[in-house]
Amino acid sequence: MPMIEERLARLPDAAFAGMRRGIEKESLRAQPGGALALTPHPAALGSALTHPHITTDYSESQLELITGAHRGIDATLAELREVHQFTARALRELGDESMWVSSMPCHLPTDETIPLGRYGNSNVGRAKSVYRMGLGHRYGRRMQTISGIHYNWSLPGVDNEGYFSLIRNFRRQAFLLLYLFGASPALGASFVDGREHELQPLSGDTLHMPHGTSLRMGRLGYQSDAQASLNVSYNSLEGYAASLHDALTRPWPAYEAVGIRNPGGDYNQLATTLLQIENEFYGTIRPKRTIFPGERPLHALRERGVEYVEVRLMDLDPFEPLGIAAPTMRFLDVFLLHCLLTDSPADTPAEIAELKHNQHQTAARGREPGVTLRRAGTEVPLVQWGAEILAQCEPIAARLDAQAGGTGHADAVAHAAAMLRDPAQLPSARVLAAMAGEHAGSFAGFTRERSRATHEALLALPWSDAQQKRFEALAAQSVQDQAAIEAADTLPFEVYRQEYVSPQRLGVPGRAAAAAA
């Protein structure tokens, strides 16, 4: 603890003032009955390729709403709220669709019927669709319909070494976020049709884990046998980059069997390597750098260093209209600073195996009384370990409150401690209680009702003509921008694809910029 406080004291006020965060929030478009909407991305929302705030993720039916990077939590949420309001209005004009408020998907059609994201006829747009086709071949389309919130975070003056130190500690302590904020303890039975699982029935259409927190982050979520062979180290940018470089250039027999194209000439995937592109690598947190048009993310990291981290394990909170609330964001800021300020020894293959076990244990059994996790070869009660972390977070919260005014950060840590002591307060427990008490144990019934209430709440918020015109102008500009990209293309797509996936585009091995955010 004294070490954390000493490091905290050395951080200047300007660092806290310059802290930035942004949000990327995914939501499926669903029909009133709870089935996936199979309609195209609404034209009123502009181009999914070029709109700065509204795009799609895996599926044409999966919205992704994006904020810029802001110095204030309230400003971040204000922008996210506006994007939600405009989107809800566009959906209302088209009919009766709404945004599905759960991380686990609504009722899904057959795998091949789930529509892939479409981004126009440019080379970059076609590549995005082909990449998604590849994900479908590799992992199945259902797995890609899971939705979540990504929290992008940076602090001035942090260099590559500091960010990777943060990342190692985040991975060690990620179980606490899954426990505190996991909100996907149940799912619709259609998601696991034909798959082995350990879920228990809750009702005719619903399966669950009685003490689960985040099935999205468990064995049924973003998992891959091929990626399980990756032993990515986060001990340095050079080592991380080398691991990704290997995965992006190593042929993988199962994917070679799929091939680049099918017999009819249509594309199956971008590449036959273990990873098609960097974004295919699943993880709870990523080091990131803003890329130039056409640049590979790994090249950007090697050339200019880490700019921010992307936290990827947050479930949508179905009780919050935006999927996340200000107190949760305050806790994330405290938690990330704790990860940065705490000693962070190098990771090892043995520890990485423990972390995977802890993630799955917390996702499936986190609220089970007496549940334990593995730490340095010994079993530690989850609640005990979590309490240790929260105690160390208290001085960080106090410093943030001294900077921002009020007691919001300390309150967020205190509330986390209360949930640690009383699991009934956790979002995952509240979800199951609401399902059982109000919807006869039905995941679909609960999420339909929450989605409808959220949609109506967004539509009821004040909305001006000026806001409407501003977002309509953004949508119109995005359509023009897509058309300009398509008009400027000169390369045949196959030439573009080969150039994009070539190892030369990944940057110089061993090169790592020392740039700080």
mmCIF file of all heavy atoms in Angstrom, residues 65-114:
data_model
loop_
_atom_site.group_PDB
_atom_site.id
_atom_site.type_symbol
_atom_site.label_atom_id
_atom_site.label_comp_id
_atom_site.label_asym_id
_atom_site.label_seq_id
_atom_site.Cartn_x
_atom_site.Cartn_y
_atom_site.Cartn_z
ATOM 1 N N LEU A 65 -22.049 1.917 -31.333
ATOM 2 C CA LEU A 65 -22.151 3.355 -31.086
ATOM 3 C C LEU A 65 -20.881 3.816 -30.387
ATOM 4 O O LEU A 65 -20.460 3.219 -29.394
ATOM 5 C CB LEU A 65 -23.387 3.656 -30.236
ATOM 6 C CG LEU A 65 -24.701 3.038 -30.750
ATOM 7 C CD1 LEU A 65 -25.869 3.465 -29.869
ATOM 8 C CD2 LEU A 65 -24.962 3.403 -32.209
ATOM 9 N N ILE A 66 -20.272 4.902 -30.884
ATOM 10 C CA ILE A 66 -18.905 5.257 -30.521
ATOM 11 C C ILE A 66 -18.839 6.716 -30.084
ATOM 12 O O ILE A 66 -19.376 7.608 -30.753
ATOM 13 C CB ILE A 66 -17.966 5.047 -31.728
ATOM 14 C CG1 ILE A 66 -18.060 3.607 -32.245
ATOM 15 C CG2 ILE A 66 -16.529 5.407 -31.389
ATOM 16 C CD1 ILE A 66 -17.454 3.415 -33.634
ATOM 17 N N THR A 67 -18.149 6.954 -28.979
ATOM 18 C CA THR A 67 -17.863 8.333 -28.575
ATOM 19 C C THR A 67 -16.421 8.675 -28.932
ATOM 20 O O THR A 67 -15.602 7.797 -29.198
ATOM 21 C CB THR A 67 -18.039 8.544 -27.063
ATOM 22 O OG1 THR A 67 -16.915 7.968 -26.375
ATOM 23 C CG2 THR A 67 -19.321 7.924 -26.549
ATOM 24 N N GLY A 68 -16.124 9.967 -28.894
ATOM 25 C CA GLY A 68 -14.741 10.390 -28.946
ATOM 26 C C GLY A 68 -14.100 10.200 -27.576
ATOM 27 O O GLY A 68 -14.709 9.669 -26.645
ATOM 28 N N ALA A 69 -12.846 10.616 -27.455
ATOM 29 C CA ALA A 69 -12.127 10.550 -26.177
ATOM 30 C C ALA A 69 -12.364 11.854 -25.426
ATOM 31 O O ALA A 69 -12.122 12.938 -25.957
ATOM 32 C CB ALA A 69 -10.639 10.334 -26.420
ATOM 33 N N HIS A 70 -12.838 11.754 -24.185
ATOM 34 C CA HIS A 70 -13.209 12.929 -23.401
ATOM 35 C C HIS A 70 -12.451 12.965 -22.077
ATOM 36 O O HIS A 70 -12.118 11.928 -21.513
ATOM 37 C CB HIS A 70 -14.706 12.917 -23.105
ATOM 38 C CG HIS A 70 -15.562 13.064 -24.321
ATOM 39 N ND1 HIS A 70 -15.891 14.283 -24.859
ATOM 40 C CD2 HIS A 70 -16.137 12.129 -25.123
ATOM 41 C CE1 HIS A 70 -16.649 14.103 -25.932
ATOM 42 N NE2 HIS A 70 -16.807 12.803 -26.110
ATOM 43 N N ARG A 71 -12.240 14.174 -21.568
ATOM 44 C CA ARG A 71 -11.584 14.333 -20.272
ATOM 45 C C ARG A 71 -12.555 14.160 -19.117
ATOM 46 O O ARG A 71 -12.124 13.960 -17.989
ATOM 47 C CB ARG A 71 -10.907 15.698 -20.202
ATOM 48 C CG ARG A 71 -9.669 15.768 -21.073
ATOM 49 C CD ARG A 71 -8.980 17.105 -20.972
ATOM 50 N NE ARG A 71 -7.708 17.089 -21.699
ATOM 51 C CZ ARG A 71 -7.026 18.152 -22.038
ATOM 52 N NH1 ARG A 71 -7.489 19.347 -21.717
ATOM 53 N NH2 ARG A 71 -5.881 18.052 -22.687
ATOM 54 N N GLY A 72 -13.829 14.237 -19.380
ATOM 55 C CA GLY A 72 -14.810 14.102 -18.313
ATOM 56 C C GLY A 72 -15.748 12.936 -18.553
ATOM 57 O O GLY A 72 -16.120 12.650 -19.701
ATOM 58 N N ILE A 73 -16.146 12.268 -17.469
ATOM 59 C CA ILE A 73 -17.106 11.163 -17.577
ATOM 60 C C ILE A 73 -18.458 11.681 -18.046
ATOM 61 O O ILE A 73 -19.103 11.064 -18.908
ATOM 62 C CB ILE A 73 -17.215 10.442 -16.218
ATOM 63 C CG1 ILE A 73 -15.965 9.594 -15.985
ATOM 64 C CG2 ILE A 73 -18.477 9.583 -16.143
ATOM 65 C CD1 ILE A 73 -15.887 8.948 -14.620
ATOM 66 N N ASP A 74 -18.894 12.820 -17.521
ATOM 67 C CA ASP A 74 -20.193 13.361 -17.914
ATOM 68 C C ASP A 74 -20.215 13.698 -19.398
ATOM 69 O O ASP A 74 -21.228 13.467 -20.079
ATOM 70 C CB ASP A 74 -20.528 14.604 -17.090
ATOM 71 C CG ASP A 74 -20.828 14.267 -15.636
ATOM 72 O OD1 ASP A 74 -21.090 13.077 -15.343
ATOM 73 O OD2 ASP A 74 -20.777 15.181 -14.785
ATOM 74 N N ALA A 75 -19.118 14.238 -19.921
ATOM 75 C CA ALA A 75 -19.063 14.565 -21.355
ATOM 76 C C ALA A 75 -19.111 13.298 -22.209
ATOM 77 O O ALA A 75 -19.747 13.274 -23.273
ATOM 78 C CB ALA A 75 -17.797 15.360 -21.658
ATOM 79 N N THR A 76 -18.438 12.248 -21.744
ATOM 80 C CA THR A 76 -18.464 10.978 -22.474
ATOM 81 C C THR A 76 -19.883 10.439 -22.550
ATOM 82 O O THR A 76 -20.364 10.032 -23.621
ATOM 83 C CB THR A 76 -17.556 9.941 -21.780
ATOM 84 O OG1 THR A 76 -16.284 10.512 -21.533
ATOM 85 C CG2 THR A 76 -17.390 8.698 -22.638
ATOM 86 N N LEU A 77 -20.561 10.425 -21.405
ATOM 87 C CA LEU A 77 -21.927 9.899 -21.372
ATOM 88 C C LEU A 77 -22.890 10.798 -22.137
ATOM 89 O O LEU A 77 -23.852 10.310 -22.743
ATOM 90 C CB LEU A 77 -22.383 9.743 -19.924
ATOM 91 C CG LEU A 77 -21.769 8.565 -19.159
ATOM 92 C CD1 LEU A 77 -22.194 8.603 -17.696
ATOM 93 C CD2 LEU A 77 -22.153 7.235 -19.798
ATOM 94 N N ALA A 78 -22.663 12.101 -22.121
ATOM 95 C CA ALA A 78 -23.540 13.017 -22.857
ATOM 96 C C ALA A 78 -23.476 12.715 -24.352
ATOM 97 O O ALA A 78 -24.515 12.693 -25.045
ATOM 98 C CB ALA A 78 -23.155 14.468 -22.579
ATOM 99 N N GLU A 79 -22.266 12.487 -24.856
ATOM 100 C CA GLU A 79 -22.149 12.159 -26.281
ATOM 101 C C GLU A 79 -22.768 10.794 -26.580
ATOM 102 O O GLU A 79 -23.489 10.626 -27.569
ATOM 103 C CB GLU A 79 -20.683 12.178 -26.726
ATOM 104 C CG GLU A 79 -20.541 11.903 -28.214
ATOM 105 C CD GLU A 79 -19.117 12.081 -28.718
ATOM 106 O OE1 GLU A 79 -18.174 11.664 -28.016
ATOM 107 O OE2 GLU A 79 -18.961 12.638 -29.826
ATOM 108 N N LEU A 80 -22.507 9.818 -25.731
ATOM 109 C CA LEU A 80 -23.092 8.491 -25.928
ATOM 110 C C LEU A 80 -24.620 8.558 -25.908
ATOM 111 O O LEU A 80 -25.299 7.891 -26.695
ATOM 112 C CB LEU A 80 -22.581 7.538 -24.850
ATOM 113 C CG LEU A 80 -22.975 6.064 -24.998
ATOM 114 C CD1 LEU A 80 -22.412 5.460 -26.268
ATOM 115 C CD2 LEU A 80 -22.520 5.264 -23.778
ATOM 116 N N ARG A 81 -25.151 9.391 -25.029
ATOM 117 C CA ARG A 81 -26.613 9.532 -24.932
ATOM 118 C C ARG A 81 -27.179 10.129 -26.221
ATOM 119 O O ARG A 81 -28.207 9.656 -26.731
ATOM 120 C CB ARG A 81 -26.969 10.402 -23.731
ATOM 121 C CG ARG A 81 -28.465 10.499 -23.450
ATOM 122 C CD ARG A 81 -28.723 11.321 -22.196
ATOM 123 N NE ARG A 81 -28.107 10.702 -21.027
ATOM 124 C CZ ARG A 81 -27.050 11.186 -20.383
ATOM 125 N NH1 ARG A 81 -26.479 12.321 -20.793
ATOM 126 N NH2 ARG A 81 -26.553 10.575 -19.327
ATOM 127 N N GLU A 82 -26.523 11.144 -26.740
ATOM 128 C CA GLU A 82 -27.000 11.748 -27.992
ATOM 129 C C GLU A 82 -27.003 10.740 -29.135
ATOM 130 O O GLU A 82 -27.955 10.691 -29.921
ATOM 131 C CB GLU A 82 -26.104 12.938 -28.364
ATOM 132 C CG GLU A 82 -26.504 14.250 -27.761
ATOM 133 C CD GLU A 82 -25.881 15.411 -28.515
ATOM 134 O OE1 GLU A 82 -24.697 15.331 -28.883
ATOM 135 O OE2 GLU A 82 -26.586 16.403 -28.746
ATOM 136 N N VAL A 83 -25.941 9.966 -29.245
ATOM 137 C CA VAL A 83 -25.869 8.964 -30.323
ATOM 138 C C VAL A 83 -26.989 7.941 -30.147
ATOM 139 O O VAL A 83 -27.632 7.526 -31.123
ATOM 140 C CB VAL A 83 -24.482 8.290 -30.336
ATOM 141 C CG1 VAL A 83 -24.424 7.248 -31.445
ATOM 142 C CG2 VAL A 83 -23.372 9.318 -30.541
ATOM 143 N N HIS A 84 -27.249 7.541 -28.915
ATOM 144 C CA HIS A 84 -28.353 6.618 -28.642
ATOM 145 C C HIS A 84 -29.697 7.238 -29.033
ATOM 146 O O HIS A 84 -30.551 6.558 -29.631
ATOM 147 C CB HIS A 84 -28.384 6.259 -27.159
ATOM 148 C CG HIS A 84 -27.548 5.088 -26.778
ATOM 149 N ND1 HIS A 84 -26.192 5.173 -26.604
ATOM 150 C CD2 HIS A 84 -27.868 3.784 -26.542
ATOM 151 C CE1 HIS A 84 -25.718 3.985 -26.267
ATOM 152 N NE2 HIS A 84 -26.712 3.132 -26.218
ATOM 153 N N GLN A 85 -29.894 8.494 -28.672
ATOM 154 C CA GLN A 85 -31.170 9.135 -28.965
ATOM 155 C C GLN A 85 -31.420 9.203 -30.470
ATOM 156 O O GLN A 85 -32.529 8.912 -30.944
ATOM 157 C CB GLN A 85 -31.204 10.542 -28.367
ATOM 158 C CG GLN A 85 -31.313 10.576 -26.858
ATOM 159 C CD GLN A 85 -31.294 11.997 -26.336
ATOM 160 O OE1 GLN A 85 -30.266 12.486 -25.884
ATOM 161 N NE2 GLN A 85 -32.421 12.689 -26.402
ATOM 162 N N PHE A 86 -30.412 9.607 -31.225
ATOM 163 C CA PHE A 86 -30.573 9.679 -32.681
ATOM 164 C C PHE A 86 -30.860 8.296 -33.256
ATOM 165 O O PHE A 86 -31.733 8.136 -34.126
ATOM 166 C CB PHE A 86 -29.316 10.277 -33.315
ATOM 167 C CG PHE A 86 -29.378 10.330 -34.820
ATOM 168 C CD1 PHE A 86 -30.196 11.240 -35.466
ATOM 169 C CD2 PHE A 86 -28.623 9.456 -35.594
ATOM 170 C CE1 PHE A 86 -30.266 11.289 -36.857
ATOM 171 C CE2 PHE A 86 -28.677 9.492 -36.975
ATOM 172 C CZ PHE A 86 -29.508 10.408 -37.611
ATOM 173 N N THR A 87 -30.144 7.294 -32.763
ATOM 174 C CA THR A 87 -30.334 5.935 -33.264
ATOM 175 C C THR A 87 -31.732 5.428 -32.936
ATOM 176 O O THR A 87 -32.405 4.817 -33.789
ATOM 177 C CB THR A 87 -29.270 5.007 -32.659
ATOM 178 O OG1 THR A 87 -27.966 5.494 -32.986
ATOM 179 C CG2 THR A 87 -29.415 3.588 -33.184
ATOM 180 N N ALA A 88 -32.194 5.666 -31.720
ATOM 181 C CA ALA A 88 -33.538 5.230 -31.332
ATOM 182 C C ALA A 88 -34.597 5.887 -32.212
ATOM 183 O O ALA A 88 -35.583 5.249 -32.607
ATOM 184 C CB ALA A 88 -33.796 5.550 -29.857
ATOM 185 N N ARG A 89 -34.397 7.157 -32.536
ATOM 186 C CA ARG A 89 -35.361 7.846 -33.399
ATOM 187 C C ARG A 89 -35.351 7.269 -34.808
ATOM 188 O O ARG A 89 -36.405 7.141 -35.434
ATOM 189 C CB ARG A 89 -35.052 9.348 -33.421
ATOM 190 C CG ARG A 89 -35.606 10.044 -32.214
ATOM 191 C CD ARG A 89 -35.150 11.480 -32.055
ATOM 192 N NE ARG A 89 -36.098 12.212 -31.223
ATOM 193 C CZ ARG A 89 -36.302 11.995 -29.935
ATOM 194 N NH1 ARG A 89 -35.589 11.071 -29.320
ATOM 195 N NH2 ARG A 89 -37.198 12.675 -29.253
ATOM 196 N N ALA A 90 -34.180 6.930 -35.301
ATOM 197 C CA ALA A 90 -34.105 6.321 -36.634
ATOM 198 C C ALA A 90 -34.814 4.969 -36.644
ATOM 199 O O ALA A 90 -35.523 4.630 -37.605
ATOM 200 C CB ALA A 90 -32.645 6.164 -37.054
ATOM 201 N N LEU A 91 -34.641 4.191 -35.583
ATOM 202 C CA LEU A 91 -35.323 2.895 -35.512
ATOM 203 C C LEU A 91 -36.835 3.073 -35.425
ATOM 204 O O LEU A 91 -37.600 2.305 -36.023
ATOM 205 C CB LEU A 91 -34.811 2.100 -34.308
ATOM 206 C CG LEU A 91 -33.345 1.660 -34.349
ATOM 207 C CD1 LEU A 91 -32.993 0.879 -33.089
ATOM 208 C CD2 LEU A 91 -33.034 0.835 -35.599
ATOM 209 N N ARG A 92 -37.282 4.090 -34.696
ATOM 210 C CA ARG A 92 -38.723 4.346 -34.600
ATOM 211 C C ARG A 92 -39.314 4.685 -35.961
ATOM 212 O O ARG A 92 -40.409 4.216 -36.315
ATOM 213 C CB ARG A 92 -38.989 5.488 -33.620
ATOM 214 C CG ARG A 92 -40.473 5.819 -33.471
ATOM 215 C CD ARG A 92 -40.696 6.995 -32.541
ATOM 216 N NE ARG A 92 -40.086 8.223 -33.032
ATOM 217 C CZ ARG A 92 -40.113 9.382 -32.384
ATOM 218 N NH1 ARG A 92 -40.711 9.464 -31.199
ATOM 219 N NH2 ARG A 92 -39.525 10.453 -32.877
ATOM 220 N N GLU A 93 -38.605 5.488 -36.743
ATOM 221 C CA GLU A 93 -39.106 5.870 -38.055
ATOM 222 C C GLU A 93 -39.220 4.673 -38.987
ATOM 223 O O GLU A 93 -40.056 4.648 -39.887
ATOM 224 C CB GLU A 93 -38.185 6.936 -38.681
ATOM 225 C CG GLU A 93 -38.178 8.265 -37.959
ATOM 226 C CD GLU A 93 -39.567 8.864 -37.846
ATOM 227 O OE1 GLU A 93 -40.295 8.889 -38.868
ATOM 228 O OE2 GLU A 93 -39.947 9.286 -36.730
ATOM 229 N N LEU A 94 -38.373 3.670 -38.773
ATOM 230 C CA LEU A 94 -38.383 2.490 -39.650
ATOM 231 C C LEU A 94 -39.415 1.464 -39.234
ATOM 232 O O LEU A 94 -39.738 0.553 -40.008
ATOM 233 C CB LEU A 94 -37.001 1.839 -39.644
ATOM 234 C CG LEU A 94 -35.912 2.602 -40.401
ATOM 235 C CD1 LEU A 94 -34.563 1.961 -40.167
ATOM 236 C CD2 LEU A 94 -36.235 2.629 -41.895
ATOM 237 N N GLY A 95 -39.898 1.537 -38.004
ATOM 238 C CA GLY A 95 -40.867 0.547 -37.554
ATOM 239 C C GLY A 95 -40.716 0.250 -36.085
ATOM 240 O O GLY A 95 -40.704 1.154 -35.254
ATOM 241 N N ASP A 96 -40.560 -1.019 -35.761
ATOM 242 C CA ASP A 96 -40.678 -1.430 -34.360
ATOM 243 C C ASP A 96 -39.440 -2.111 -33.809
ATOM 244 O O ASP A 96 -39.503 -2.820 -32.820
ATOM 245 C CB ASP A 96 -41.886 -2.363 -34.196
ATOM 246 C CG ASP A 96 -41.899 -3.496 -35.220
ATOM 247 O OD1 ASP A 96 -40.865 -3.691 -35.902
ATOM 248 O OD2 ASP A 96 -42.932 -4.175 -35.319
ATOM 249 N N GLU A 97 -38.288 -1.890 -34.427
ATOM 250 C CA GLU A 97 -37.065 -2.470 -33.899
ATOM 251 C C GLU A 97 -36.568 -1.654 -32.697
ATOM 252 O O GLU A 97 -36.860 -0.470 -32.564
ATOM 253 C CB GLU A 97 -35.968 -2.482 -34.967
ATOM 254 C CG GLU A 97 -36.255 -3.394 -36.140
ATOM 255 C CD GLU A 97 -35.182 -3.291 -37.229
ATOM 256 O OE1 GLU A 97 -34.163 -2.603 -37.003
ATOM 257 O OE2 GLU A 97 -35.374 -3.894 -38.291
ATOM 258 N N SER A 98 -35.782 -2.315 -31.851
ATOM 259 C CA SER A 98 -35.122 -1.612 -30.756
ATOM 260 C C SER A 98 -33.749 -2.228 -30.534
ATOM 261 O O SER A 98 -33.426 -3.284 -31.096
ATOM 262 C CB SER A 98 -35.956 -1.689 -29.470
ATOM 263 O OG SER A 98 -36.085 -3.034 -29.041
ATOM 264 N N MET A 99 -32.958 -1.567 -29.722
ATOM 265 C CA MET A 99 -31.629 -2.080 -29.381
ATOM 266 C C MET A 99 -31.755 -3.097 -28.248
ATOM 267 O O MET A 99 -32.328 -2.797 -27.202
ATOM 268 C CB MET A 99 -30.705 -0.923 -28.994
ATOM 269 C CG MET A 99 -30.305 -0.054 -30.168
ATOM 270 S SD MET A 99 -29.313 1.396 -29.692
ATOM 271 C CE MET A 99 -30.631 2.601 -29.378
ATOM 272 N N TRP A 100 -31.220 -4.283 -28.454
ATOM 273 C CA TRP A 100 -31.252 -5.355 -27.461
ATOM 274 C C TRP A 100 -30.283 -5.010 -26.344
ATOM 275 O O TRP A 100 -29.114 -4.716 -26.594
ATOM 276 C CB TRP A 100 -30.847 -6.652 -28.149
ATOM 277 C CG TRP A 100 -31.051 -7.925 -27.392
ATOM 278 C CD1 TRP A 100 -30.083 -8.731 -26.875
ATOM 279 C CD2 TRP A 100 -32.298 -8.578 -27.114
ATOM 280 N NE1 TRP A 100 -30.646 -9.840 -26.292
ATOM 281 C CE2 TRP A 100 -32.008 -9.771 -26.413
ATOM 282 C CE3 TRP A 100 -33.639 -8.264 -27.373
ATOM 283 C CZ2 TRP A 100 -32.995 -10.656 -25.987
ATOM 284 C CZ3 TRP A 100 -34.625 -9.139 -26.947
ATOM 285 C CH2 TRP A 100 -34.297 -10.313 -26.265
ATOM 286 N N VAL A 101 -30.755 -5.028 -25.100
ATOM 287 C CA VAL A 101 -29.960 -4.468 -24.009
ATOM 288 C C VAL A 101 -29.094 -5.498 -23.289
ATOM 289 O O VAL A 101 -28.395 -5.145 -22.336
ATOM 290 C CB VAL A 101 -30.857 -3.753 -22.979
ATOM 291 C CG1 VAL A 101 -31.603 -2.596 -23.628
ATOM 292 C CG2 VAL A 101 -31.825 -4.735 -22.315
ATOM 293 N N SER A 102 -29.115 -6.737 -23.714
ATOM 294 C CA SER A 102 -28.283 -7.757 -23.083
ATOM 295 C C SER A 102 -27.049 -8.042 -23.918
ATOM 296 O O SER A 102 -27.076 -7.940 -25.154
ATOM 297 C CB SER A 102 -29.069 -9.055 -22.905
ATOM 298 O OG SER A 102 -28.222 -10.100 -22.442
ATOM 299 N N SER A 103 -25.961 -8.442 -23.255
ATOM 300 C CA SER A 103 -24.761 -8.861 -23.977
ATOM 301 C C SER A 103 -24.983 -10.163 -24.729
ATOM 302 O O SER A 103 -24.411 -10.373 -25.799
ATOM 303 C CB SER A 103 -23.584 -9.031 -23.008
ATOM 304 O OG SER A 103 -23.008 -7.791 -22.695
ATOM 305 N N MET A 104 -25.789 -11.064 -24.179
ATOM 306 C CA MET A 104 -26.087 -12.307 -24.881
ATOM 307 C C MET A 104 -27.216 -12.040 -25.861
ATOM 308 O O MET A 104 -28.126 -11.262 -25.588
ATOM 309 C CB MET A 104 -26.442 -13.417 -23.897
ATOM 310 C CG MET A 104 -25.308 -13.742 -22.923
ATOM 311 S SD MET A 104 -23.684 -14.008 -23.718
ATOM 312 C CE MET A 104 -23.975 -15.569 -24.566
ATOM 313 N N PRO A 105 -27.166 -12.679 -27.027
ATOM 314 C CA PRO A 105 -28.043 -12.267 -28.123
ATOM 315 C C PRO A 105 -29.507 -12.632 -27.934
ATOM 316 O O PRO A 105 -29.870 -13.498 -27.133
ATOM 317 C CB PRO A 105 -27.444 -12.997 -29.337
ATOM 318 C CG PRO A 105 -26.689 -14.141 -28.766
ATOM 319 C CD PRO A 105 -26.180 -13.682 -27.434
ATOM 320 N N CYS A 106 -30.329 -11.956 -28.731
ATOM 321 C CA CYS A 106 -31.737 -12.287 -28.841
ATOM 322 C C CYS A 106 -31.872 -13.613 -29.598
ATOM 323 O O CYS A 106 -30.869 -14.268 -29.910
ATOM 324 C CB CYS A 106 -32.476 -11.164 -29.563
ATOM 325 S SG CYS A 106 -31.745 -10.694 -31.145
ATOM 326 N N HIS A 107 -33.094 -14.002 -29.907
ATOM 327 C CA HIS A 107 -33.299 -15.270 -30.616
ATOM 328 C C HIS A 107 -32.662 -15.182 -32.001
ATOM 329 O O HIS A 107 -32.932 -14.258 -32.766
ATOM 330 C CB HIS A 107 -34.785 -15.591 -30.749
ATOM 331 C CG HIS A 107 -35.035 -16.917 -31.402
ATOM 332 N ND1 HIS A 107 -34.895 -18.113 -30.730
ATOM 333 C CD2 HIS A 107 -35.359 -17.229 -32.675
ATOM 334 C CE1 HIS A 107 -35.144 -19.114 -31.553
ATOM 335 N NE2 HIS A 107 -35.422 -18.603 -32.737
ATOM 336 N N LEU A 108 -31.804 -16.150 -32.295
ATOM 337 C CA LEU A 108 -31.028 -16.113 -33.533
ATOM 338 C C LEU A 108 -31.580 -17.096 -34.553
ATOM 339 O O LEU A 108 -32.033 -18.194 -34.202
ATOM 340 C CB LEU A 108 -29.562 -16.462 -33.242
ATOM 341 C CG LEU A 108 -28.827 -15.506 -32.297
ATOM 342 C CD1 LEU A 108 -27.446 -16.057 -31.975
ATOM 343 C CD2 LEU A 108 -28.727 -14.115 -32.914
ATOM 344 N N PRO A 109 -31.512 -16.733 -35.829
ATOM 345 C CA PRO A 109 -31.869 -17.687 -36.877
ATOM 346 C C PRO A 109 -30.730 -18.688 -37.070
ATOM 347 O O PRO A 109 -29.754 -18.691 -36.313
ATOM 348 C CB PRO A 109 -32.044 -16.792 -38.103
ATOM 349 C CG PRO A 109 -31.074 -15.672 -37.870
ATOM 350 C CD PRO A 109 -31.069 -15.446 -36.367
ATOM 351 N N THR A 110 -30.840 -19.547 -38.067
ATOM 352 C CA THR A 110 -29.746 -20.472 -38.362
ATOM 353 C C THR A 110 -28.467 -19.686 -38.610
ATOM 354 O O THR A 110 -28.503 -18.531 -39.049
ATOM 355 C CB THR A 110 -30.065 -21.324 -39.590
ATOM 356 O OG1 THR A 110 -30.342 -20.448 -40.696
ATOM 357 C CG2 THR A 110 -31.261 -22.224 -39.337
ATOM 358 N N ASP A 111 -27.345 -20.330 -38.315
ATOM 359 C CA ASP A 111 -26.065 -19.634 -38.330
ATOM 360 C C ASP A 111 -25.833 -18.896 -39.642
ATOM 361 O O ASP A 111 -25.454 -17.720 -39.650
ATOM 362 C CB ASP A 111 -24.936 -20.652 -38.086
ATOM 363 C CG ASP A 111 -23.714 -20.007 -37.465
ATOM 364 O OD1 ASP A 111 -23.810 -19.545 -36.314
ATOM 365 O OD2 ASP A 111 -22.667 -19.955 -38.135
ATOM 366 N N GLU A 112 -26.074 -19.580 -40.762
ATOM 367 C CA GLU A 112 -25.761 -18.975 -42.064
ATOM 368 C C GLU A 112 -26.711 -17.845 -42.419
ATOM 369 O O GLU A 112 -26.455 -17.077 -43.358
ATOM 370 C CB GLU A 112 -25.780 -20.040 -43.165
ATOM 371 C CG GLU A 112 -27.124 -20.704 -43.414
ATOM 372 C CD GLU A 112 -27.399 -21.894 -42.494
ATOM 373 O OE1 GLU A 112 -26.617 -22.111 -41.541
ATOM 374 O OE2 GLU A 112 -28.398 -22.599 -42.736
ATOM 375 N N THR A 113 -27.817 -17.703 -41.671
ATOM 376 C CA THR A 113 -28.794 -16.646 -41.951
ATOM 377 C C THR A 113 -28.453 -15.344 -41.242
ATOM 378 O O THR A 113 -28.975 -14.285 -41.596
ATOM 379 C CB THR A 113 -30.207 -17.121 -41.531
ATOM 380 O OG1 THR A 113 -30.437 -18.428 -42.051
ATOM 381 C CG2 THR A 113 -31.277 -16.197 -42.063
ATOM 382 N N ILE A 114 -27.588 -15.396 -40.235
ATOM 383 C CA ILE A 114 -27.180 -14.173 -39.543
ATOM 384 C C ILE A 114 -26.418 -13.304 -40.534
ATOM 385 O O ILE A 114 -25.397 -13.725 -41.087
ATOM 386 C CB ILE A 114 -26.305 -14.505 -38.326
ATOM 387 C CG1 ILE A 114 -27.108 -15.314 -37.297
ATOM 388 C CG2 ILE A 114 -25.759 -13.226 -37.694
ATOM 389 C CD1 ILE A 114 -26.268 -15.901 -36.180
#
